[in-house]
Amino acid sequence: MMRLFGSEMTRLASRRLLRWTFVLFCGAILLIGVLVFVNDSNGTFTERDVQDALMGLSLPLLMLGWLVGASAIGAEWGNRTVSALLTWEPRRTRVLVAKAAAACGTAALLVVALEIVFTAVMMPVAWAADPTFVPVDPSFESIDPFSWATYAATAGRITLVSVLAGAFGFALATIGKNTAAALGGGMAYLLIVESLVRNYLPESSKWLLSTNIIRVIEGGAPGGVEAYTTTGAASVLALYAVGLLLVALWFFRRREMA
């Protein structure tokens, strides 16, 4: 199992799609840092603003995790490399588990690396701000002051959600046999299914993916989505991911590979 997992991690690390996506994200982060530094003439950009900006980056990182998971196996269906792999390792459950673990692991590494790049770019911008700056509301900093522990917890929650998004993307690509099926299916669910549920079954909205994703990312922030606790929302997302992966495994074990 570990050899199979290691080979999958190596295969994903060598993919140009992921390398260029990482480079583009880094370029965008660097550009944002430069723009904030140039336009922050009053020195009002603080460490708290960096934390808020990191939360704003959660949606692109979530989409990145979904893309990593979907493309991890979606491209293999098109190139028919799954059939070749199964001639070497015919135990399909082991194959899919290793591939899913590698996809989620790769998504986690990419997201954590981008969060480190984001912090390395944006924190110096905040530290370069005018030290004499005083907020308009003097009580602002005392209500919820910046701390590295809170910042790390925010980054950890974003990483967790991105990894779960990778699991969703991987499962949908396995069921649909291509990357486009995972991306299109996810967009259709979020835009159509969840909108219908919110309009016609509002009492069931706490079970929706987006509701629980927002709750996990926000953590204990006041004014957040009222659903479960952060841990409860994360548990719901994990159960959904495991359930969808089990469905994908059922399809994978019974599908004709010729």
Side-chain angles (χ1 to χ4, degrees):
M1 174 68 79
M2 292 306 299
R3 290 180 58 188
L4 186 58
F5 172 77
S7 66
E8 287 296 319
M9 289 292 291
T10 302
R11 180 182 66 84
L12 291 175
S14 65
R15 296 193 62 204
R16 286 180 294 178
L17 171 65
L18 300 187
R19 289 182 178 181
W20 281 109
T21 301
F22 179 77
V23 171
L24 289 174
F25 264 85
C26 290
I29 291 172
L30 182 60
L31 177 60
I32 292 172
V34 171
L35 292 176
V36 171
F37 179 78
V38 170
N39 292 295
D40 188 35
S41 58
N42 296 325
T44 58
F45 190 76
T46 67
E47 293 172 326
R48 280 299 312 279
D49 294 313
V50 176
Q51 182 171 321
D52 293 340
L54 178 62
M55 292 185 66
L57 189 64
S58 60
L59 179 57
L61 293 179
L62 186 152
M63 295 174 64
L64 174 62
W66 196 292
L67 175 63
V68 170
S71 63
I73 193 170
E76 289 200 82
W77 288 115
N79 296 325
R80 298 185 178 180
T81 55
V82 176
S83 301
L85 176 59
L86 290 176
T87 61
W88 171 65
E89 174 55 85
R91 291 171 290 188
R92 296 192 179 192
T93 300
R94 290 169 63 91
V95 169
L96 195 70
V97 169
K99 285 182 174 294
C104 291
T106 302
L109 290 175
L110 279 175
V111 170
V112 169
L114 288 172
E115 289 173 336
I116 292 174
V117 171
F118 178 85
T119 304
V121 170
M122 301 303 294
M123 278 301 178
V125 176
W127 294 334
D130 184 359
T132 62
F133 167 70
V134 178
V136 175
D137 181 1
S139 64
F140 175 76
E141 293 292 341
S142 63
I143 293 176
D144 190 11
F146 174 84
S147 72
W148 282 104
T150 302
Y151 186 84
T154 301
R157 293 195 303 272
I158 293 172
T159 302
L160 173 62
V161 172
S162 300
V163 170
L164 292 174
F168 286 123
F170 180 89
L172 290 176
T174 302
I175 296 170
K177 297 183 66 175
N178 59 66
T179 304
L183 299 178
M187 292 297 295
Y189 168 79
L190 292 174
L191 295 177
I192 299 175
V193 176
E194 291 211 346
S195 296
L196 291 174
V197 172
R198 291 186 190 281
N199 288 332
Y200 297 103
L201 297 171
E203 68 280 359
S204 301
S205 62
K206 67 178 183 178
W207 297 101
L208 297 178
L209 279 181
S210 58
T211 301
N212 290 282
I213 286 173
I214 293 172
R215 180 56 180 153
V216 172
I217 292 174
E218 288 185 343
V225 177
E226 294 182 1
Y228 308 103
T229 62
T230 303
T231 303
S235 300
V236 170
L237 294 176
L239 287 175
Y240 287 166
V242 171
L244 194 57
L245 286 171
L246 290 175
V247 173
L249 177 62
W250 185 88
F251 276 93
F252 189 73
R253 287 175 57 87
R254 287 158 178 77
R255 178 166 286 150
E256 178 60 49
M257 296 294 177

